[in-house]
Amino acid sequence: MRKLLRWPGGLKYRIFTAYLLVVIIPFSLLCLIGFQQIEQILKQQQIEQNTREMDGFRGDLLDLTGLMTKSLILINQNPSFEQYLSPDTPHSPYTAMREINRNLDSLANSFFLSTPSVFMTVTDRAGHAYFNYTPKYPIQGEAMYQEISGKLDHLKPHASYYWKVADNYVFRDIVSGETMLTIDSLLLGTRLEPYGALRISMDHQQWLKQWTRAADPKAQYLVIGKTGDLIYRSTADAQMPEAVTHRFQEDFRAYPDKLLYLTNEDEQALYLASYMPSLEWTLVKKISLEEVFAGTNAIKRTALIALVALTVVFIAATLLISSNVTKPLHKLRDQMSRAADQELRVTIPTSNYKGEILQLLTSFNRMIADIGTLIYRLKVEERQKESVRFQILVSQMDPHFLLNTLNMIKSQALKNQDQTTFEICVSLGLLLETSLNTELDLIPLDQELSFTEAYMHIQNTRFGNRYHLDIEYDASLFYALVPKFTLQPLVENAITHGFAETASEGHIKVNINKNGQELVIQVMDDGIGPEAARQAAASATIRRSRKGIGLSNIRERLELLYKGKASLSLYRTPDNSRTIVEIRTPLLVSEPYRKGETKHV
């Protein structure tokens, strides 16, 4: 995987790869995003434009069916039909036929002057049929009445009519289609009793053909029935996949009054559909996406040709430039290899070069000189470090000499039964041994307390038990880690500055506890305080030969060890009776391993 992702080695390959990454790929992505956005805009415009057309299509068909429904209502409301069709009519069949045909012709001429012909059939309960057209075969009036009456009985309650696509029953010279859009109804009298049946039909195929011819010539139009059967198509090859039909049917159950659209990627076609609940028809317009995006596809081809031409030109330019650049670079590479073999003691001649190559060689020669200077300085610093290390080793011999001498004095004191001298030597030896151990920075609290008590023993021996040390701490903090020589300098600071100018006894209290995840160390004394100590030191005739470094040393060590997470503060109590030095560090506990333990924290 790493080999596949490795940057190409040659300059010309790198330039070409950079061209791909910086120009070709971003430009292609921008074109792709731009074309997608353009196609979305064009698609939306097509949807909006065709929405108006499909609304018009649906509206015109609704108007046509509305006129047929209105004709049905007018016939039901015309008393002449009941007068001549009722079983107890006094008129002769000839008179009834003449008057009914006259009413049918008048109604057809008044409502359907600008639409295809409408064919109306009226029959009474006795089976006498009346119509305004030439039938293809004799009309069976009684059968027609029974069919309409039986169908309405099976429909939902209060249904007075129903729509259907019926076989063509009109003479073929008048209607050439195989089917006709038909509305059937019973004729009800004043007592709401049926006295006849009515059938109104029209050549919907001819009407749909005339409407689609005047619409978009590049589109295909389809009319789908309730069960998915094809009622009409504008061209012989117009069809809609069954999956698209089912999708529209499911969506129209939820949104019957909404215009729906769907893109079929397999056909590269855009479908727009509108639903007519009264007929249970789905009106569909099918548009080829190639027609919709014809302009965008032309732009794509132009952009692709331009990109290919640009790439060819760039490759030619890359080869030309790389040949002028890589030759001097190859020479430079060879010279640099020889310089590395000779341990940077050579320089590369620059007289035969110019421009960027000259600047590169000049910078390289300067780098060689700077590296030589740096190596020289590193060697000097290394020798200086060795010298310092030697001095440190020599300086450690003096404390070892003192410790050995102290052990000798301790032995003599023990031999002479001088208990005081022996105890001083023990305490001083403990302090010297701890100071010699430079490997540990943090030690357990119990060791730090031992150093402090040893120091206090020396001071009380010197000053006749003048100072009293009281230590209080939580037993759980016995193995808490503290910086080495933290308490002892604070206790020494209290003695030196708090009690040096007074002859009274001094009390020093060390209080150690924890606050959450912090270790809090407080050293309190009842001495004269820091301000009075400074004033006394300023007016003293005999001054200390060495400047005190206790607090500043501890602060610097806390910063080095805890990186800002520890603090040291010095303050007086509100009643000005005590001086308190407070140290706060992160709580770290390291309990020693004991034999037989199964858990160690």
Side-chain angles (χ1 to χ4, degrees):
M1 186 64 183
R2 292 182 177 178
K3 292 182 178 179
L4 293 176
L5 297 177
R6 185 178 298 173
W7 190 257
L11 177 61
K12 57 183 177 182
Y13 300 112
R14 293 188 178 186
I15 295 176
F16 185 71
T17 303
Y19 174 71
L20 287 177
L21 296 176
V22 178
V23 179
I24 297 294
I25 295 178
F27 179 76
S28 301
L29 291 176
L30 288 176
C31 288
L32 179 61
I33 295 172
F35 289 140
Q36 287 179 347
Q37 293 177 348
I38 292 173
E39 289 178 354
Q40 288 295 328
I41 294 173
L42 291 176
K43 182 178 177 181
Q44 192 63 35
Q45 290 178 348
Q46 282 289 329
I47 292 172
E48 294 175 357
Q49 176 182 347
N50 287 282
T51 297
R52 294 188 292 270
E53 183 186 48
M54 293 300 291
D55 288 341
F57 188 11
R58 183 172 182 269
D60 291 345
L61 191 54
L62 284 174
D63 291 342
L64 186 62
T65 57
L67 288 176
M68 295 175 68
T69 306
K70 188 174 183 181
S71 299
L72 184 148
I73 295 172
L74 290 176
I75 292 176
N76 266 293
Q77 293 176 349
N78 191 338
S80 299
F81 286 91
E82 184 179 4
Q83 178 183 352
Y84 292 106
L85 294 176
S86 61
D88 54 352
T89 178
H91 303 284
S92 64
Y94 174 77
T95 303
M97 182 179 66
R98 183 189 64 197
E99 292 300 322
I100 290 175
N101 286 340
R102 183 180 60 82
N103 279 281
L104 293 177
D105 291 338
S106 176
L107 185 63
N109 292 332
S110 62
F111 282 108
F112 299 98
L113 293 176
S114 60
T115 59
S117 299
V118 174
F119 309 98
M120 291 176 283
T121 305
V122 178
T123 181
D124 58 15
R125 300 182 67 172
H128 299 103
Y130 309 92
F131 41 84
N132 65 337
Y133 56 90
T134 301
K136 184 188 297 186
Y137 44 80
I139 302 298
Q140 302 295 327
E142 185 177 359
M144 171 182 159
Y145 180 85
Q146 294 299 330
E147 177 190 351
I148 296 174
S149 176
K151 183 66 177 292
L152 288 174
D153 288 341
H154 286 84
L155 294 177
K156 58 184 180 181
H158 310 298
S160 59
Y161 65 89
Y162 62 87
W163 293 91
K164 70 175 184 176
V165 176
D167 293 336
N168 179 20
Y169 55 85
V170 181
F171 192 65
R172 185 168 293 277
D173 290 343
I174 301 174
V175 176
S176 60
E178 297 294 332
T179 57
M180 301 174 67
L181 177 61
T182 301
I183 181 172
D184 290 344
S185 175
L186 290 176
L187 297 176
L188 303 178
T190 55
R191 297 179 182 180
L192 300 179
E193 291 293 332
Y195 62 85
L198 171 64
R199 173 169 290 168
I200 302 175
S201 301
M202 65 162 288
D203 188 359
H204 66 286
Q205 297 280 351
Q206 183 64 26
W207 184 89
L208 291 171
K209 186 181 297 183
Q210 291 177 354
W211 194 96
T212 54
R213 282 178 179 175
D216 187 358
K218 297 181 180 180
Q220 294 178 337
Y221 296 87
L222 302 99
V223 179
I224 308 298
K226 177 182 179 180
T227 59
D229 54 310
L230 182 63
I231 294 175
Y232 171 80
R233 57 184 176 183
S234 59
T235 59
D237 59 343
Q239 59 182 356
M240 184 167 68
E242 186 177 351
V244 177
T245 303
H246 290 166
R247 175 69 179 276
F248 279 138
Q249 289 176 343
E250 292 177 0
D251 292 344
F252 278 132
R253 291 191 188 100
Y255 310 101
D257 298 326
K258 187 177 180 181
L259 177 73
L260 302 178
Y261 63 90
L262 178 66
T263 301
N264 188 354
E265 298 295 341
D266 295 336
E267 292 184 300
Q268 284 296 296
L270 173 66
Y271 288 92
L272 296 100
S274 180
Y275 184 65
M276 292 188 64
S278 59
L279 300 178
E280 296 183 317
W281 284 4
T282 302
L283 311 179
V284 180
K285 182 178 182 180
K286 179 179 179 181
I287 308 171
S288 172
L289 291 179
E290 185 177 356
E291 294 291 339
V292 175
F293 303 137
T296 307
N297 292 334
I299 297 175
K300 285 182 180 178
R301 288 190 292 270
T302 303
L304 180 60
I305 293 173
L307 188 61
V308 171
L310 182 62
T311 302
V312 172
V313 173
F314 182 83
I315 291 174
T318 300
L319 294 176
L320 180 62
I321 295 174
S322 62
S323 62
N324 293 330
V325 174
T326 54
K327 289 181 180 179
L329 289 179
H330 289 162
K331 295 180 179 179
L332 175 62
R333 180 193 60 191
D334 296 338
Q335 295 291 338
M336 291 175 65
S337 298
R338 285 195 290 271
D341 295 338
Q342 297 179 21
E343 298 181 356
L344 304 177
R345 288 194 295 270
V346 299
T347 59
I348 301 177
T350 59
S351 59
N352 296 328
Y353 301 98
K354 60 182 179 179
E356 290 80 1
I357 301 297
L358 176 60
Q359 295 178 0
L360 178 62
L361 296 180
T362 304
S363 300
F364 176 77
N365 291 335
R366 188 183 303 114
M367 179 188 68
I368 293 293
D370 293 341
I371 291 175
T373 303
L374 181 60
I375 292 175
Y376 174 76
R377 291 178 180 176
L378 290 175
K379 290 180 178 179
V380 171
E381 291 179 0
E382 185 66 25
R383 287 194 293 269
Q384 291 176 346
K385 289 180 180 179
E386 293 175 355
S387 177
V388 170
R389 176 63 179 170
F390 180 78
Q391 294 297 328
I392 291 175
L393 294 175
V394 171
S395 64
Q396 288 179 346
M397 296 302 297
D398 295 336
H400 277 288
F401 170 75
L402 293 176
L403 186 60
N404 293 333
T405 304
L406 189 63
N407 288 332
M408 182 186 67
I409 297 174
K410 182 174 64 174
S411 300
Q412 291 296 323
L414 185 61
K415 182 178 180 181
N416 297 328
Q417 297 183 351
D418 187 350
Q419 188 66 25
T420 300
T421 303
F422 176 78
E423 292 177 354
I424 291 175
C425 290
V426 171
S427 299
L428 184 58
L430 179 62
L431 294 176
L432 284 176
E433 287 178 356
T434 304
S435 65
L436 289 176
N437 186 4
T438 59
E439 296 180 356
L440 296 177
D441 296 320
L442 297 174
I443 60 174
L445 178 63
D446 65 324
Q447 293 185 22
E448 184 67 20
L449 293 177
S450 299
F451 304 155
T452 305
E453 291 172 347
Y455 171 77
M456 283 299 299
H457 177 73
I458 296 173
Q459 294 296 330
N460 278 325
T461 302
R462 176 185 176 189
F463 295 103
N465 294 324
R466 176 182 168 188
Y467 306 118
H468 302 279
L469 176 64
D470 184 15
I471 299 175
E472 294 182 1
Y473 63 93
D474 189 346
S476 63
L477 301 176
F478 194 72
Y479 295 108
L481 297 179
V482 297
K484 185 172 62 176
F485 285 120
T486 300
L487 287 177
Q488 184 272 329
L490 296 180
V491 172
E492 181 182 2
N493 198 65
I495 294 174
T496 303
H497 300 289
F499 307 119
E501 303 299 328
T502 177
S504 61
E505 293 185 350
H507 295 83
I508 301 173
K509 182 177 181 180
V510 177
N511 189 7
I512 304 173
N513 53 43
K514 62 180 178 180
N515 183 15
Q517 294 299 316
E518 278 189 330
L519 178 67
V520 182
I521 302 173
Q522 290 182 332
V523 178
M524 297 173 283
D525 68 80
D526 56 357
I528 61 176
E531 186 62 31
R534 278 193 292 269
Q535 294 177 0
S539 59
T541 56
I542 301 175
R543 302 195 178 187
R544 298 177 61 189
S545 59
R546 183 175 62 90
K547 185 178 180 181
I549 59 171
L551 294 182
S552 61
N553 180 278
I554 295 174
R555 278 197 182 95
E556 187 173 352
R557 286 193 290 129
L558 290 176
E559 179 63 27
L560 291 174
L561 289 173
Y562 299 106
K563 308 299 181 184
K565 296 181 180 180
S567 63
L568 183 149
S569 56
L570 171 68
Y571 56 91
R572 292 282 286 180
T573 56
D575 58 357
N576 204 32
S577 62
R578 288 189 175 187
T579 300
I580 300 176
V581 178
E582 182 179 274
I583 295 177
R584 290 178 176 267
T585 68
L587 179 60
L588 303 174
V589 179
S590 177
E591 295 185 10
Y593 174 78
R594 295 178 177 86
K595 186 175 182 180
E597 282 187 338
T598 59
K599 180 179 179 181
H600 176 62
V601 180

